Amino acid sequence: MIFDEKSTVDLLRQLVNIPSPSGYTNQIMEFIGAYLHNLGIAYKKTHKGAIIAKVDGQNGSAHRLLTAHTDTLGAMVKEIKASGRLKLSMIGGFKWNAVEGEYCTIHTADGQKIRGTILLHETTVHVYNQPDTIKRDENHIEVRIDEKCSSAQDVRNIGIEVGDFVSFDPRFEATDSGFIKSRHLDDKASTALLLQMLKTIKENNIALPNTTHFYISNNEEIGYGGNSNIPEEVVEYIAVDMGAIGDGQNSDEFTVSICAKDSSGPYHYNLTRHLVKLAKQYGIDYKLDIYPNYSSDVSAAIRAGFDVKHALFGPGIEASHAYERTHVDSLNATAQLLYAYVTSSMDSEE
Ligand SMILES: [Zn+2]
């Protein structure tokens, strides 16, 4: 079975519930290492903390590489206020209103997980006159800590310090109608699909035409996840990452989105056509699209100077970097295209 809905959704639920803002990904990478270990798949860890697993194929000289990233948006304690609340510094690109009201966890240096809520300072309508006109920025958004803290010293006394990571609650929900609502579907949905595909390949002894690397990166949201440690033999490099949905966009929550161009420029023409051809051949629902404010680990690799053919596809994610949602149909279509691609012959020059 190429797409096992239940185990994919279960794995995705586990992944989004492990906090992993860029820079704080040890726990999730340990989880992924254990997952691969249980499947009997060897992997190596890069100094930057990414994991690369290799599956040997019939052609050992022209390799493929697929990547998905596990790091997410998050924040760091910027300042401890005299009131006992915290100012935040953002990790990754989002708007403050996308986290206003969200529950969060502060990860202290001594390993505590202290709970809190991200709020506009002037939230209370019974006190402040016009909270709707106040700009949501780092000066007005703060963390209310769920401990008895009313001074900066109180906060320090419980172990919180500047530089502590702050993660946002994912609020994962899988509805009966097939929608998956959660933060961090970007890009844990694709990570779950890559891990599931490795499981399918391993358990069914599927022979791949080309040696294929599976690169689980952990620095994409800050721009340099998959731009190093690319084996010399890699010819084709695919980023499996979210399709962007919005006004004027072709992508949706029910198909696999294939990216023709993003902010970094067009993706490799022949490799992109190869993906479209596979989607047509296997009857996979797909949408070709352009993502206006977007770049990926594979565009980072191209910028870093790697001579590879690059392409990008993935599930359509609604309200990205905020209250994200997709549908199992989109996960299914992405899983089908992933499988069609890794088992196809390397003919993108056609
Ligand atoms: Zn992403």
Side-chain angles (χ1 to χ4, degrees), residues 69 71 185-188 190 220-221 240-242 294-297 321:
H69 67 91
D71 61 311
L185 295 180
D186 168 19
D187 187 27
K188 290 180 173 179
S190 306
E220 193 276 345
E221 296 293 358
V240 189
D241 209 338
M242 50 148 285
Y294 195 106
S295 66
S296 68
D297 267 342
H321 285 195

Side-chain angles (χ1 to χ4, degrees), residues 24-322:
Y24 194 72
T25 55
N26 283 350
Q27 193 193 347
I28 195 144
M29 298 318 280
E30 270 169 34
F31 176 92
I32 285 161
Y35 183 95
L36 295 173
H37 179 78
N38 290 339
L39 287 176
I41 294 171
Y43 63 89
K44 70 167 198 176
K45 232 175 155 181
T46 71
H47 295 307
K48 287 197 276 187
I51 277 180
I52 308 176
K54 184 172 90 166
V55 178
D56 288 325
Q58 281 143 357
N59 179 339
S61 56
H63 293 192
R64 287 178 159 137
L65 188 148
L66 293 108
T67 190
H69 67 91
T70 56
D71 61 311
T72 70
L73 307 173
M76 210 179 237
V77 176
K78 160 76 174 63
E79 191 180 319
I80 299 170
K81 297 170 89 166
S83 61
R85 296 199 175 191
L86 307 173
K87 267 196 184 184
L88 294 176
S89 174
M90 281 183 183
I91 298 169
F94 59 94
K95 303 286 180 215
W96 285 115
N97 63 291
V99 294
E100 186 179 350
E102 190 58 276
Y103 291 168
C104 66
T105 300
I106 303 133
H107 303 266
T108 69
D110 62 359
Q112 295 181 79
K113 296 179 197 318
I114 295 172
R115 299 287 288 160
T117 304
I118 301 168
L119 290 167
L120 180 75
H121 176 80
E122 301 87 346
T123 290
T124 306
V125 293
H126 300 99
V127 176
Y128 302 100
N129 281 333
Q130 288 183 305
D132 50 334
T133 61
I134 294 164
K135 188 165 166 45
R136 272 57 179 164
D137 62 18
E138 63 279 4
N139 294 319
H140 293 273
I141 295 287
E142 61 187 19
V143 177
R144 179 185 68 194
I145 306 166
D146 297 323
E147 296 288 339
K148 288 180 178 170
C149 292
S150 51
S151 70
Q153 197 53 52
D154 288 346
V155 175
R156 289 199 157 92
N157 287 346
I158 60 167
I160 293 175
E161 194 42 87
V162 170
D164 287 348
F165 279 91
V166 177
S167 61
F168 313 142
D169 280 17
R171 292 192 288 150
F172 181 97
E173 184 178 339
T175 71
D176 292 340
S177 51
F179 285 101
I180 295 159
K181 306 195 288 185
S182 178
R183 286 188 192 277
H184 316 319
L185 295 180
D186 168 19
D187 187 27
K188 290 180 173 179
S190 306
T191 303
L193 291 171
L194 279 190
L195 293 177
Q196 282 291 118
M197 186 169 66
L198 270 168
K199 186 164 177 258
T200 304
I201 290 168
K202 185 73 183 174
E203 287 178 349
N204 299 289
N205 274 319
I206 292 162
L208 299 183
N210 293 79
T211 294
T212 304
H213 305 267
F214 295 82
Y215 191 142
I216 308 299
S217 89
N218 61 332
N219 288 300
E220 193 276 345
E221 296 293 358
I222 46 177
Y224 52 83
N227 68 352
S228 65
N229 308 82
I230 298 162
E232 218 177 294
E233 300 89 346
V234 171
V235 176
E236 295 181 352
Y237 184 150
I238 305 266
V240 189
D241 209 338
M242 50 148 285
I245 299 173
D247 289 345
Q249 292 299 101
N250 221 9
S251 304
D252 58 40
E253 295 166 272
F254 312 105
T255 58
V256 55
S257 181
I258 302 173
C259 183
K261 175 183 179 288
D262 67 13
S263 312
S264 67
Y267 282 80
H268 189 272
Y269 186 74
N270 287 326
L271 185 54
T272 304
R273 295 320 301 175
H274 178 66
L275 294 171
V276 170
K277 194 175 95 181
L278 290 171
K280 285 183 173 158
Q281 185 183 338
Y282 291 97
I284 301 163
D285 288 333
Y286 75 97
K287 293 278 163 60
L288 261 173
D289 213 351
I290 292 172
Y291 310 153
N293 302 312
Y294 195 106
S295 66
S296 68
D297 267 342
V298 69
S299 49
I302 292 283
R303 274 223 175 79
F306 284 92
D307 181 26
V308 290
K309 299 175 186 181
H310 69 314
L312 165 68
F313 67 89
I317 304 290
E318 159 63 20
S320 57
H321 285 195

